[in-house]
Amino acid sequence: MAIGRSSMQSGLFDCMVIAMSAKKRDILVTSGLLYANGPLHLGHMVESIQTDTWVRFQKMRGHNCMYVCAEDAHGTPIMVRAQDEGISPEELIARFDIEHRADFVDFAIGFDNYYTTHSPENRELTELIYRRLRAGGHVTSRVIEQAFDPIKEMFLPDRFIKGECPRCSAPDQYGDACEVCGATYAPTDLKNPVSMLSGAKPIYKESEHYFFKLQNFEPMLRAWIRHGHVQPDVINKLDEWFTQGLREWDISRDAPYFGFEIPDAPGKYFYVWMDAPIGYMASFKNLCSRTGLDFGAYWDKDSSTEIYHFIGKDILYFHTLFWPAMLAGANFRTPSAVFAHGFLTVNGQKMSKSRGTFITARTYLSHLNPEYLRYYYAAKLNSRVEDLDLNLDDFVARVNADLIGKLINIASRCAGFINKRFDGRLSDTLPESALYEQFVSAGEQIAKNYEAREFSRVVREIMILADQANQYINDQAPWVIAKQSGHQAELQGICTQGLNLFRVLVGYLKPVLPLTAEKTEAFLNIKPLDWQTLKTPMTAHTINVFTHLLTRVEQESVDAMLTATRLEQDTMNKDKPATGPLVDEPIAEEVSIDDFKKVDLRLARIVKARPVDGSNKLLALTLDLGGETRHVFAGIKEAYKPEDLEGRMTVMVANLAPRKMRFGVSEGMVLAAGPGGKELWILSPDEGAPPGSRVT
């Protein structure tokens, strides 16, 4: 993703953040809908934790902030899985709804309403928006050619076709967008496509489809994205899409399809991405019907309330182009802002089932405290569209050092003296009121960083204060004073001071650690903490007996989680049928021995290897074929250092037609095997045969 932030764009965004903090606000917040087709994993939790933390902060500041979400319950994948399991789609989505809700509860995600897109409210709103768009001249229909699986006898959705990107030729790309170069395209543009359902080569049939005229809204969208509604580092990516030209969006699918049927169009259904974002509105409307809230006050065109969507960067196109255009065309208000985040990696790499790092939310919860992860994510999250890495060694070290060694340590060093020496009674005054005021005054900057979603800065500032609190206790040494007769009032004051500093720190961390905050409120015998109550110290007050609020992360627990993840994957693999194509990597169309003989494999020596500027995967290789030199781009950058390749022998396809790429022309292909990323190995024959020798 291209990154850029002009001073004008920055100013608009920052002014919006500052202005929003000045008065009590009415705020509606959503996070991306979770697809009802599988368990939640730790990548999903990045978004849920980020959103929940921001919402909890707004509520602590006294704002009227509501958080809604829903199960994304329509589409072909759900229909196909339900058929495979011999149950109805409704039964499938009900099962995952129960599982997802349990995971969210255990991770302390505090939805005000969690609903489903397969609801009467969503059907009503989807049909309303569609009719308004059609009446406004923003919907058209025409006959198109569409991929059809001849074995499954059904039209194939974009995500059920894979092939080579028509723009950069990257293999194994879905039928709607390339994950390598970011291009979007029609499934018919894909090269060498295969069905992910059967592995068959699709045939093409004609069918009438309905289209939303996205291009009608280009002027409106160009203006909208430049008025603080998207992050500055998203604007350049959107400009790329504008440069390519906005195209009509296919909003219909053919039967069989699990979803809402389009009015007056028998056998045609709304594409899942049509009704999915409307699910935000439907979930809120369901909340309104139960609580008496005014739906129109939030969604009418002239609404003065705030609406924010937290999403992953992979669905920017839908939320920053289609969604605001649909809303504007249907005479609803557009979002106040769309906040995108990056992907999760584990130990520096994409989550991998083969490496045992594709960790589900439930597997994590079976072994580790949910607030460990909430804290670690917060310590890494910022307002930019950056990937977040869960480094498990760093995870253990940071949680133990910060939460146990710094934060909880303050309370454990002071509470015992108060409980044992003073019957839990705090002193009437603070011995260092200026230090307490310093902690209180830090709250406004911490609040600004929460508001701006700069959670890593929040954590950093709080830990600096925690260091100061621990230094105060070290300097005062209450354990020494406790042994001195006639110094009991001084001891009580020091420990009262320490517990008050601890209370402020837990208050600042409450959006991140709501469960620990609740335990702390019970221990301190106080009402729920909010930003205002932190300004007044807690004196002449009786606390309860201190109990452990958090315990250390043990490496054994992390190892057990990874072992369980691998075992789960092994079990899943055993449950797969022994024959038939894999869904992720279908077997290609059969070739004859005569076809195979056309491939000319030759030994080659790697003379030179260098990284390719602008590519995260490619190395540029210069190959000696025995008197002839070839230049080849190979996607092995994560697996090999260039200097380690030079001088090695390998095997290449010598008669592959040259392919023009945006980095230059590739004159062949180097053979490699493995799941990808760092686990990729080029074929390296023994020394002996000279370069150019044929491999048979």
Side-chain angles (χ1 to χ4, degrees):
M1 173 173 290
I3 304 296
R5 179 171 178 156
S6 72
S7 59
M8 180 189 74
Q9 294 161 356
S10 175
L12 284 168
F13 200 81
D14 294 341
C15 287
M16 180 184 72
V17 167
I18 294 170
M20 290 190 300
S21 304
K23 63 178 182 178
K24 187 168 183 177
R25 298 146 59 188
D26 294 312
I27 309 169
L28 176 61
V29 181
T30 76
S31 52
L33 307 186
L34 281 304
Y35 203 52
N37 194 37
L40 302 184
H41 55 69
L42 297 193
H44 292 128
M45 300 317 301
V46 171
E47 184 172 304
S48 301
I49 288 171
Q50 182 189 36
T51 313
D52 182 74
T53 298
W54 197 77
V55 169
R56 288 181 183 274
F57 161 73
Q58 299 296 349
K59 291 181 176 181
M60 278 191 72
R61 294 285 278 182
H63 300 307
N64 178 31
C65 184
M66 288 163 291
Y67 179 17
V68 302
C69 193
E71 292 284 299
D72 189 0
H74 289 156
T76 302
I78 287 173
M79 179 185 71
V80 170
R81 178 160 183 170
Q83 289 173 351
D84 290 343
E85 295 189 13
I87 60 177
S88 69
E90 288 85 356
E91 289 176 295
L92 182 71
I93 60 179
R95 186 178 84 211
F96 282 114
D97 178 75
I98 293 171
E99 291 184 14
H100 292 175
R101 286 174 186 266
D103 290 344
F104 285 133
V105 167
D106 289 347
F107 265 107
I109 307 299
F111 296 114
D112 291 280
N113 195 45
Y114 192 77
Y115 202 40
T116 173
T117 60
H118 191 60
S119 70
E121 294 92 341
N122 202 27
R123 181 190 293 273
E124 175 190 338
L125 285 166
T126 300
E127 291 181 357
L128 174 65
I129 288 174
Y130 170 74
R131 287 191 172 101
R132 287 183 178 181
L133 293 175
R134 188 174 62 183
H138 304 305
V139 174
T140 186
S141 66
R142 65 176 181 272
V143 174
I144 65 169
E145 193 174 55
Q146 193 179 6
F148 186 87
D149 189 318
I151 295 176
K152 292 292 185 178
E153 296 186 340
M154 61 178 288
F155 286 104
L156 289 167
D158 303 347
R159 289 265 152 171
F160 276 71
I161 311 170
K162 276 192 172 183
E164 296 176 11
C165 170
R167 176 175 163 186
C168 73
S169 298
D172 203 34
Q173 298 304 308
Y174 288 111
D176 58 351
C178 178
E179 295 177 344
V180 176
C181 71
T184 58
Y185 41 76
T188 50
D189 297 332
L190 207 62
K191 295 188 288 187
N192 300 318
V194 294
S195 166
M196 293 180 63
L197 290 179
S198 66
K201 181 179 180 180
I203 61 175
Y204 291 89
K205 290 188 174 184
E206 290 187 341
S207 175
E208 183 180 20
H209 273 233
Y210 293 81
F211 295 83
F212 172 54
K213 296 181 179 180
L214 181 63
Q215 67 274 21
N216 290 3
F217 297 89
E218 181 171 341
M220 167 259 163
L221 290 170
R222 284 184 179 272
W224 183 78
I225 68 171
R226 280 176 166 74
H227 283 80
H229 300 293
V230 300
Q231 293 138 290
D233 45 344
V234 167
I235 293 177
N236 284 356
K237 185 62 183 176
L238 294 178
D239 282 340
E240 289 180 20
W241 286 324
F242 283 127
T243 300
Q244 294 172 14
L246 301 183
R247 297 184 294 179
E248 293 179 346
W249 178 39
D250 189 344
I251 59 171
S252 62
R253 292 296 183 267
D254 292 281
Y257 194 79
F258 183 62
F260 296 140
E261 196 167 23
I262 299 176
D264 307 320
K268 304 292 181 181
Y269 291 80
F270 287 117
Y271 175 38
V272 61
W273 264 110
M274 173 76 177
D275 69 68
I278 299 172
Y280 301 139
M281 303 173 75
S283 182
F284 182 63
K285 189 167 187 177
N286 177 260
L287 179 65
C288 291
S289 68
R290 294 189 288 104
T291 61
L293 285 166
D294 184 355
F295 178 83
Y298 285 80
W299 287 102
D300 284 351
K301 195 173 183 66
D302 58 353
S303 170
S304 60
T305 60
E306 303 167 40
I307 296 178
Y308 301 100
H309 300 305
F310 285 74
I311 63 165
K313 65 182 181 180
D314 55 325
I315 53 176
L316 269 172
Y317 199 90
F318 297 101
H319 282 81
T320 57
L321 294 177
F322 293 135
W323 179 229
M326 283 169 52
L327 289 168
N331 204 36
F332 286 109
R333 58 85 50 82
T334 53
S336 306
V338 175
F339 300 136
H341 60 82
F343 297 139
L344 177 72
T345 57
V346 178
N347 292 336
Q349 297 183 17
K350 184 178 179 180
M351 287 195 300
S352 166
K353 293 178 180 178
S354 64
R355 287 189 291 268
T357 56
F358 195 90
I359 306 166
T360 67
R362 184 49 51 184
T363 301
Y364 175 95
L365 289 165
S366 298
H367 296 88
L368 294 166
N369 187 318
E371 291 198 316
Y372 297 159
L373 194 70
R374 289 182 67 105
Y375 180 78
Y376 190 77
Y377 280 178
K380 294 223 166 185
L381 279 165
N382 56 44
S383 63
R384 297 177 295 281
V385 190
E386 296 179 348
D387 291 348
L388 183 156
D389 183 50
L390 172 57
N391 181 291
L392 292 172
D393 290 338
D394 181 54
F395 168 77
V396 173
R398 185 182 289 244
V399 170
N400 287 341
D402 288 2
L403 295 185
I404 311 304
K406 294 182 181 181
L407 181 68
I408 302 302
N409 191 46
I410 299 168
S412 65
R413 298 168 89 186
C414 298
F417 293 118
I418 295 293
N419 289 140
K420 294 174 183 177
R421 302 289 184 100
F422 308 103
D423 294 325
R425 179 90 178 163
L426 301 178
S427 61
D428 294 342
T429 60
L430 296 181
E432 296 283 351
S433 59
L435 179 59
Y436 185 82
E437 289 303 318
Q438 179 189 343
F439 273 49
V440 169
S441 64
E444 282 312 301
Q445 185 57 51
I446 290 171
K448 288 179 181 178
N449 285 328
Y450 263 125
E451 180 70 55
R453 306 174 327 285
E454 294 289 349
F455 296 166
S456 61
R457 292 183 184 177
V458 167
V459 167
R460 187 162 57 249
E461 289 162 358
I462 293 172
M463 284 303 118
I464 290 172
L465 294 175
D467 285 336
Q468 289 182 249
N470 278 294
Q471 188 61 52
Y472 168 80
I473 296 169
N474 285 341
D475 293 343
Q476 300 302 317
W479 50 88
V480 175
I481 294 173
K483 298 176 182 178
Q484 301 172 356
S485 60
H487 289 268
Q488 296 306 295
E490 182 181 357
L491 174 65
Q492 186 182 24
I494 292 168
C495 293
T496 297
Q497 179 85 33
L499 288 174
N500 268 278
L501 300 180
F502 171 72
R503 169 177 166 266
V504 173
L505 296 176
V506 172
Y508 291 158
L509 277 173
K510 185 175 180 178
V512 179
L513 305 176
L515 303 178
T516 298
E518 187 177 335
K519 293 177 183 177
T520 299
E521 291 158 356
F523 151 56
L524 294 177
N525 193 28
I526 56 176
K527 293 180 180 179
L529 293 164
D530 61 39
W531 227 258
Q532 190 62 34
T533 59
L534 294 176
K535 296 180 179 179
T536 305
M538 177 182 58
T539 54
H541 171 79
T542 300
I543 66 172
N544 293 317
V545 175
F546 176 78
T547 57
H548 290 295
L549 301 172
L550 283 171
T551 57
R552 290 176 56 84
V553 185
E554 299 297 338
Q555 184 62 47
E556 290 80 1
S557 297
V558 175
D559 294 341
M561 175 185 69
L562 294 176
T563 298
T565 299
R566 294 188 186 96
L567 289 173
E568 288 168 5
Q569 186 57 39
D570 289 344
T571 300
M572 288 176 61
N573 289 336
K574 288 177 183 177
D575 291 340
K576 287 182 179 179
T579 60
L582 296 177
V583 171
D584 290 335
E585 295 185 21
I587 296 173
E589 185 178 357
E590 279 187 359
V591 297
S592 69
I593 189 64
D594 292 331
D595 291 325
F596 186 73
K597 287 178 179 178
K598 295 177 182 178
V599 180
D600 190 352
L601 301 179
R602 299 290 178 118
L603 295 184
R605 188 179 301 279
I606 303 173
V607 178
K608 187 176 181 181
R610 62 175 178 80
V612 176
D613 292 337
S615 172
N616 295 325
K617 295 184 177 181
L618 295 178
L619 291 179
L621 306 180
T622 301
L623 303 175
D624 174 19
L625 270 174
E628 181 181 354
T629 300
R630 296 281 186 91
H631 300 283
V632 171
F633 293 107
I636 57 174
K637 187 175 182 180
E638 293 180 60
Y640 291 97
K641 294 179 181 179
E643 59 268 26
D644 294 339
L645 289 171
E646 293 182 355
R648 289 180 58 172
M649 297 291 287
T650 189
V651 178
M652 73 170 295
V653 180
N655 64 332
L656 187 67
R659 185 177 67 180
K660 186 176 181 181
M661 304 175 69
R662 60 191 178 109
F663 309 103
V665 177
S666 185
E667 302 172 309
M669 177 184 291
V670 170
L671 299 189
K678 291 186 177 180
E679 296 184 15
L680 194 64
W681 298 273
I682 62 170
L683 299 190
S684 298
D686 295 335
E687 294 286 344
S693 299
R694 187 159 192 160
V695 178
T696 57

